[in-house]
């Protein structure tokens, strides 16, 4: 027999499940979060749950779904009074199960636009946070700047007072607050993008300037966009998570979330309005987050991309299985020591080599059961953000971007759709078809796989990189990934 999660059933749950000990009826909304997915629910929402438990009742979250596909999250949360279960899994097999109560309202923007704008313009809303993925920031990968021709920009400019995209909502809400004399909210990006606050600022100002130069100037003068670094590996929720909750805890949750037990959030102290006391809930509030952010993006996120494509083509499907392959561990160590770390800014008290080894341990956690398919999703947005900037810095500094070239060459093999065992590789990328055509054509440089400037910029014209990439590509044509590693990087040492 199982119990369905709701406010009315909290007292009836298995005593091993931690539940909110505060009265949710006394909680008011102070944060609006755009893009409620697994990561937000395993990271920022957990922090806010801690703060609510400590007595900070003015910082509840209103979650907002912007996409039609978010109807599923709406239905799951609303049937459970916006409660959900968070499961953390340690490498030694220990699990902690906890019901999170910090999301006290959920709005589905495609059908509740006016309610979303009402919440965004409420003076009690002082922080608007985002997890809208790398592709949601209206950037051109070729230039790294605001793209006025982005589909979301064009759509929202057609009817700016009836927005649909994240920055359409943010800018319209800020316009309304300005016109009504309401203090602006802070815009806080929690996505894995270098200088994510600066990128959010660029998106907001770029879009606002197309609406009204005066509005853009007001936002520039009055709104804060703090940078942040967030870290917690959070796989897509599997059926196994549901089954464990039912069989071991007697709990039926429409959409739980599971993550590793590791947690980090480094946040820049830059708010134009009141802010939650984040420092009271494990958040490192600092003056300059960029060195921390760069470390995480170039060591964790970039290595996730490397593992995603090399591991998938090698025939693995789970992260911990790929991380146990000595050839792939060799690739990651070579990448960290020779390509990523040399491009980082030193951080007092942080040993980058130790951090690299901790990442290997986290990837090898068999209980998280993260998938390579998840890491490989939206490659044409993630590779340009996480991998190619390191390639560019290596080329500028005279360092050979060997693993960067091997990763791009393996990605080309990946988009052809077949792994080293002859099994199909599933593609989740809006540019997959165009990239596959380039990969199958087999041409070189800008005439081949590297020829899409929206993904690679002018990298296809860089003779040094093209030569290294073509070498890796040739090796991969006649070798499995693990054998190609030995050809490209030399003998694999076992540790």
């Amino acid at each position: 027999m199982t119990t369905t999660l709701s406010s009315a059933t909290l007292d009836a749950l298995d005593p091993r499940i931690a539940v909110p000990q505060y009265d949710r009826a006394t909680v008011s909304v102070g944060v609006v979060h755009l893009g409620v997915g697994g990561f937000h629910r395993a990271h920022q929402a957990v922090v806010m749950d801690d703060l609510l438990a400590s007595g900070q009742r003015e910082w509840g979250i209103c979650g907002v779904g912007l996409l039609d596909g978010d109807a599923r999250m709406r239905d799951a949360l609303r049937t459970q009074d916006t409660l959900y279960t968070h499961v953390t899994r340690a490498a030694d097999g220990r699990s902690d199960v906890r019901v999170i109560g910090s999301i006290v309202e959920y709005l589905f923007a495609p059908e509740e636009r006016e309610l979303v704008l009402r919440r965004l313009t409420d003076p009690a809303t002082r922080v608007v946070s985002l997890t809208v993925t790398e592709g949601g920031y209206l950037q051109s990968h070729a230039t790294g700047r605001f793209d006025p021709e982005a589909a979301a920009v064009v759509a929202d400019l057609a009817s700016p007072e009836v927005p649909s995209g994240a920055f359409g909502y943010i800018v319209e809400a800020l316009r309304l607050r300005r016109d009504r004399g309401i203090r602006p909210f802070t815009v806080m990006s929690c996505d894995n993008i270098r200088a994510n606050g600066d990128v959010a600022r660029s998106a907001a100002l770029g879009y606002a300037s197309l609406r009204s130069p005066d509005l853009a100037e007001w936002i520039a003068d009055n709104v804060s966009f703090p940078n942040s670094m967030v870290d917690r590996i959070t796989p897509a929720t599997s059926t196994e998570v549901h089954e464990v909750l039912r069989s071991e805890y007697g709990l039926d949750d429409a959409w739980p979330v599971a993550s590793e037990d590791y947690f980090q959030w480094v946040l820049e102290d830059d708010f134009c309005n009141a802010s939650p006391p984040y420092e009271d809930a494990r958040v490192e509030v600092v003056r300059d987050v960029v060195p921390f952010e760069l470390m995480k993006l170039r060591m964790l996120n970039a290595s996730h991309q490397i593992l995603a494509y090399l591991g998938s083509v090698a025939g693995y499907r789970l992260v911990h299985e790929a991380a146990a392959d000595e050839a792939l561990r060799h690739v990651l160590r070579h990448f960290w020591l020779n390509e990523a770390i040399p491009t980082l800014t030193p951080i007092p008290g942080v040993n980058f080599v130790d951090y690299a080894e901790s990442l290997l341990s986290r990837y090898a956690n068999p209980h998280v059961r993260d998938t390579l398919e998840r890491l490989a999703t939206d490659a044409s947005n993630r590779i340009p953000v996480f991998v190619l900037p390191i390639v560019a810095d290596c080329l500028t500094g005279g360092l050979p971007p060997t693993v960067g070239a091997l990763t791009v060459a393996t990605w080309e093999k990946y988009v052809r759709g077949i792994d080293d065992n002859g099994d199909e590789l599933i593609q989740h990328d809006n540019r997959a078809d165009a990239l596959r055509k380039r990969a199958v054509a087999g041409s070189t440089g800008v005439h081949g796989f590297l020829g899409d400037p929206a993904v690679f910029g002018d990298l296809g014209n860089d003779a040094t990189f093209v030569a290294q990439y073509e070498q890796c590509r040739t090796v991969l044509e006649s070798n499995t990934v693990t054998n190609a590693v030995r050809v490209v990087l030399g003998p694999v040492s076992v540790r």
Side-chain angles (χ1 to χ4, degrees):
M1 181 176 177
T2 61
T3 300
T4 300
L5 181 61
S6 72
S7 296
T9 61
L10 288 179
D11 291 340
L13 298 184
D14 186 307
R16 294 174 296 170
I17 302 174
V19 300
Q21 296 300 310
Y22 52 89
D23 182 359
R24 296 179 77 225
T26 67
V27 175
S28 58
V29 170
V31 177
V32 172
H33 185 83
L34 307 181
V36 178
F39 182 75
H40 170 70
R41 295 191 299 141
H43 194 276
Q44 300 99 47
V46 174
V47 167
M48 302 313 294
D49 194 64
D50 288 338
L51 290 177
L52 293 176
S54 73
Q56 302 288 335
R57 304 299 168 79
E58 59 184 312
W59 295 110
I61 299 171
C62 169
V64 175
L66 296 169
L67 307 175
D68 290 338
D70 291 328
R72 182 185 165 209
M73 181 65 74
R74 171 201 62 193
D75 295 343
L77 289 178
R78 286 184 178 175
T79 58
Q80 299 179 169
D81 303 319
T82 63
L83 295 166
Y84 64 92
T85 314
H86 176 222
V87 181
T88 58
R89 291 172 163 173
D92 62 7
R94 287 182 297 105
S95 293
D96 289 317
V97 182
R98 169 181 175 183
V99 174
I100 303 299
S102 56
I103 299 177
V104 295
E105 180 180 48
Y106 187 90
L107 298 175
F108 182 55
E111 296 177 0
E112 299 174 307
R113 182 177 289 107
E114 289 302 319
L115 291 178
V116 174
L117 286 172
R118 190 180 305 166
R119 181 59 76 187
L120 287 170
T121 53
D122 187 329
T125 297
R126 287 154 290 175
V127 175
V128 173
S129 54
L130 305 90
T131 48
V132 294
T133 77
E134 300 80 18
Y137 286 81
L138 315 180
Q139 273 189 306
S140 163
H141 292 312
T143 66
R145 295 189 291 273
F146 170 74
D147 181 5
E149 298 180 359
V153 174
V154 174
D156 278 336
L157 280 178
S159 53
E161 295 181 5
V162 187
S164 59
F167 288 94
Y169 271 105
I170 287 170
V171 170
E172 174 62 7
L174 288 171
R175 181 190 72 82
L176 291 170
R177 291 175 80 111
R178 180 199 64 176
D179 293 351
R180 297 171 185 175
I182 301 171
R183 191 175 178 183
F185 47 68
T186 296
V187 179
M188 184 174 71
S189 170
C190 297
D191 278 296
N192 288 312
I193 303 172
R194 182 180 180 181
N196 55 8
D198 297 339
V199 173
R201 175 185 172 89
S202 174
L205 294 181
Y207 173 71
S209 67
L210 297 176
R211 289 193 56 180
S212 162
D214 289 342
L215 176 59
E217 183 179 358
W218 182 86
I219 292 173
D221 291 342
N222 293 279
V223 181
S224 293
F225 298 81
N227 292 301
S228 69
M229 183 270 265
V230 292
D231 191 2
R232 170 166 268 180
I233 295 172
T234 307
T237 301
S238 65
T239 56
E240 183 258 349
V241 176
H242 291 271
E243 291 166 1
V244 167
L245 288 175
R246 290 191 191 103
S247 63
E248 296 187 17
Y249 295 90
L251 175 61
D252 191 2
D253 185 333
W255 202 338
V257 61
S259 73
E260 64 174 340
D261 56 344
Y262 180 90
F263 170 92
Q264 188 176 21
W265 187 358
V266 185
L267 178 62
E268 188 177 15
D269 189 8
D270 179 21
F271 293 85
C272 60
N273 204 324
S275 65
Y278 289 113
E279 62 277 3
D280 293 341
R282 298 184 290 164
V283 181
E284 301 171 69
V285 180
V286 300
R287 293 180 62 184
D288 183 10
V289 74
V290 171
F292 294 92
E293 187 178 58
L294 194 62
M295 175 187 74
K296 192 257 182 171
L297 293 175
R298 296 200 166 189
M299 296 189 70
L300 186 150
N301 295 107
S303 64
H304 259 171
Q305 292 301 288
I306 295 165
L307 204 58
Y309 304 106
L310 273 69
S312 295
V313 176
Y316 296 110
R317 295 297 177 263
L318 294 173
V319 172
H320 73 272
E321 294 173 344
D325 186 305
E326 289 298 338
L328 299 183
R329 293 168 72 88
H330 180 55
V331 169
L332 294 183
R333 286 192 172 106
H334 186 283
F335 166 74
W336 284 321
L337 292 175
N338 299 285
E339 299 175 39
I341 291 176
T343 70
L344 298 178
T345 302
I347 303 173
V350 175
N351 184 305
F352 292 138
V353 176
D354 290 346
Y355 179 66
E357 291 301 315
S358 76
L359 292 177
L360 276 181
S361 297
R362 291 167 63 190
Y363 297 169
N365 184 339
H367 305 288
V368 173
R369 300 190 70 77
D370 200 4
T371 65
L372 295 173
E373 183 179 331
R374 180 185 77 86
L375 302 185
T377 297
D378 201 22
S380 61
N381 278 313
R382 292 184 174 186
I383 289 282
V385 171
F386 299 139
V387 177
L388 299 187
I390 302 173
V391 168
D393 282 357
C394 285
L395 291 170
T396 300
L399 300 172
T402 309
V403 176
L406 179 61
T407 301
V408 174
T410 309
W411 180 29
E412 179 181 5
K413 192 170 183 178
Y414 177 93
V415 301
R416 292 176 186 168
I418 302 295
D419 70 14
D420 287 340
N421 298 324
D423 295 326
E424 182 183 3
L425 290 168
I426 300 172
Q427 313 287 319
H428 298 289
D429 188 347
N430 60 8
R431 290 184 180 271
D433 290 340
L435 289 166
R436 185 182 297 111
K437 289 178 182 177
R438 289 184 175 277
V440 171
S443 299
T444 61
V446 293
H447 303 292
F449 190 66
L450 303 179
D452 187 341
V455 177
F456 295 104
D458 62 356
L459 196 58
N461 291 310
D462 188 291
T464 300
F465 179 77
V466 170
Q468 197 154 34
Y469 159 78
E470 290 296 342
Q471 178 190 2
C472 294
R473 186 167 173 257
T474 300
V475 171
L476 284 164
E477 286 177 356
S478 56
N479 288 275
T480 63
V481 164
T482 52
N483 285 337
V485 168
R486 291 172 170 84
V487 174
V488 174
L489 297 180
V492 174
S493 59
V494 178
R495 298 194 201 180

